[in-house]
Amino acid sequence: MPALLSFDQSPPLAASLRFFLTAPLFAILAGILLLWSGPDSLASRWTPAVLALTHLIAAGFMLQVMLGAMLQILPVVAGANMARPLRVATLVHGAITFGVLFLGAAFLTFSPALFKLAAILLGAGISIFVASAASALYGIASPSPTIQGLKHALAGLTVTVGLGVAMSVSLGWSLDSPLLQLADIHLGWGFVAWGAVLLAAVAYVVVPMFQITPAYPDWFERSFSLSALAAVALWTIAEWLQLDIAMALLGTVVVALAVLFAIVTLDIQRRSKRARFDASQHCWRVAMLSASAAGALWLAASTLTAVGEWPAWPLLCGVLALCGGFMSVIIGMLYKIVPFLIWLHLQNQGQQGRVPAPNMKKIIATRDMDRQMLAHFAACALLLLAVCWPVAFVYPAGIALIVANGWLLLNLMSALAVHRAHLKKIKQVVGAP
Amino acid sequence: MENIRDLMAADHRQCDDCFVAVERLVARAAWADADAEFDRLRDAMQNHFDAEEAILFPAFEARTGMSMGPTRVMRGEHDQMRELLDAAKAALDARDADDYSGTAETLLIMMQQHNMKEENILYPMCDQQLATQLETLLAQLKNGISGAMK
């Protein structure tokens, strides 16, 4: 019962917000890098620019928000309170922010020193996070699929970052290791065992909650995270031992599970009772469609020679999964989480309704969210075109990425401005801080 | 066997349904119907809060001795939702669809995260701690959430 004693200790506002505000900066950096490196950079998934871009988005944008959100989610959903959340946030945020910057620079220069720094910072940052989250979750039963999924996702994160750090270490200290093979395994763990499992665990709660849909089917909730984790683990063994048929089969199972999650989500979202779709719901829908398309492309490439030999398919798959999938859903979630957290903080500060907090749509206006969402979708579309026709589309895509994420940052900053202005108002009215 | 969690969670879903009904009517600018449906929503939520504050929480507090724990937090959140219901009512009276939708969105998230804490943490604890008086409590709670206490 220890979790209950601190039932209401959601972490301070500043703990999560720093992660949310840093994320768009990395996507802007990715846009700048795209402009700087030009059309040639998109020749394959192994060019220095693509490796840097992928990590600016995956570790700079996606990981930042996911960790910040987990700080909020653990106490509310699981009753798991981290000790000293603000200190954990400061350490983890600092370490991974600089870690990703060094990692991006390391890919561009292949400097061993930068790989070493990236490995140390990312390894340390994620270790602190995983240790704090695991100790908060320790002893908490897993009655709900969400809590179970959060635990499995943490395992997925540990392996993903462990593999990433191992690769950085071997590049930093010139050790011999099968990098290409490890990279594929790292990607499988990152996308599915960490990304999709965490997203699903959160989706069980937030999709029915924000969109007023039926719950996810029981069979799905009970079996998804463990199946995904097991499939990725078995596929890893097959990859490692180079068992061709098992690799192909298990790879297909992993991808099919991710697609299944997307399809189940689309199906229950279709049954939403809300009067009309808002930006958050559109983002979820586009994300799930995009993830399904990525899965379908992967399956087509592994079964049809014509598709498999098309040089653009791996990058298309990456853009669909990372930008169309994870980035979209993350933006959609930020537009619920940030205004609500700010409202809650202002409401608590406002002395029992003496100074009522502005409602969520006064914290970030619907119109601003809608327009930024369209800019993000346009950026995704241009990135897909840039992969197919780099010369014509790489610059528009880079600019679109910068615009969409600059706008996201602006929307988040304007929410903070409302927060500051309202705190001032509270101070004037009640004379309290 | 019936338990507190299932009974109270089902009442949460009924409140969700009322919430959706008002939202749909406001979106269609069917103000008079929205007023009537909103009254139903407010009554349903009020009855739910009252039943918890007058029946369930005191029983839990008496059994566990925890009066400053989860039930205190839940009472605080009830107050916040009462304020949001007042603000939503004011927006509805002013026929201000934007203001209503912003307040309703805030209320929705507030009530959903509140429900989640109750359904995942507090109600299962109540079922566990109050097992011996379950039958009486369930009857009283049913009475309370139906509004018959008033």
Side-chain angles (χ1 to χ4, degrees), chain A residues 162-421:
Chain A
L163 288 167
V165 168
M167 285 185 281
S168 283
V169 164
S170 64
L171 287 164
W173 278 273
S174 308
L175 308 175
D176 198 22
S177 65
L179 286 176
L180 296 189
Q181 203 184 355
L182 279 177
D184 275 344
I185 297 174
H186 167 71
L187 195 140
W189 281 86
F191 272 176
V192 181
W194 156 243
V197 167
L198 177 67
L199 187 58
V202 174
Y204 302 155
V205 176
V206 299
V207 171
M209 174 168 147
F210 295 155
Q211 309 185 18
I212 317 191
T213 68
Y216 277 78
D218 212 33
W219 61 266
F220 184 84
E221 285 194 350
R222 296 271 155 220
S223 58
F224 177 74
S225 70
L226 196 58
S227 310
L229 207 61
V232 173
L234 290 173
W235 165 77
T236 302
I237 296 169
E239 263 301 310
W240 195 249
L241 301 175
Q242 292 289 304
L243 307 170
D244 287 342
I245 297 177
M247 251 160 67
L249 274 177
L250 289 163
T252 308
V253 173
V254 170
V255 174
L257 280 168
V259 173
L260 178 68
F261 165 65
I263 291 173
V264 171
T265 305
L266 284 168
D267 178 56
I268 67 161
Q269 200 189 27
R270 204 169 45 83
R271 291 179 274 159
S272 165
K273 293 184 195 161
R274 301 286 318 252
R276 57 171 75 102
F277 264 37
D278 61 11
S280 180
Q281 278 169 294
H282 285 299
C283 284
W284 268 90
R285 180 147 66 180
V286 167
M288 295 302 119
L289 288 171
S290 197
S292 307
L297 182 59
W298 189 93
L299 292 172
S302 58
T303 46
L304 307 170
T305 327
V307 183
E309 284 172 355
W310 183 31
W313 86 263
L315 277 181
L316 272 182
C317 223
V319 172
L320 283 168
L322 212 52
C323 300
F326 283 111
M327 272 185 101
S328 300
V329 87
I330 284 171
I331 292 171
M333 301 272 277
L334 283 175
Y335 282 157
K336 295 283 182 194
I337 299 171
V338 171
F340 180 70
L341 289 180
I342 288 181
W343 174 84
L344 192 62
H345 186 254
L346 290 176
Q347 183 71 9
N348 287 333
Q349 298 288 312
Q351 310 254 324
Q352 278 95 39
R354 278 178 67 193
V355 189
N359 72 52
M360 283 170 64
K361 290 186 179 174
K362 288 183 178 146
I363 294 172
I364 305 182
T366 306
R367 200 187 50 189
D368 294 337
M369 292 191 278
D370 289 348
R371 290 184 180 172
Q372 190 278 331
M373 170 194 79
L374 292 177
H376 164 70
F377 293 157
C380 292
L382 285 166
L383 279 166
L384 290 172
L385 292 170
V387 170
C388 300
W389 297 283
V391 178
F393 287 104
V394 77
Y395 296 108
I399 292 168
L401 199 57
I402 294 169
V403 170
N405 285 283
W407 206 336
L408 175 62
L409 186 63
L410 215 62
N411 283 350
L412 298 177
M413 298 292 284
S414 74
L416 283 189
V418 172
H419 181 250
R420 262 196 307 275

Side-chain angles (χ1 to χ4, degrees), chain A residues 349-351 354-355 422-433:
Chain A
Q349 298 288 312
Q351 310 254 324
R354 278 178 67 193
V355 189
H422 194 79
L423 279 183
K424 213 184 257 174
K425 194 167 147 193
I426 292 174
K427 213 171 170 180
Q428 280 164 359
V429 174
V430 298

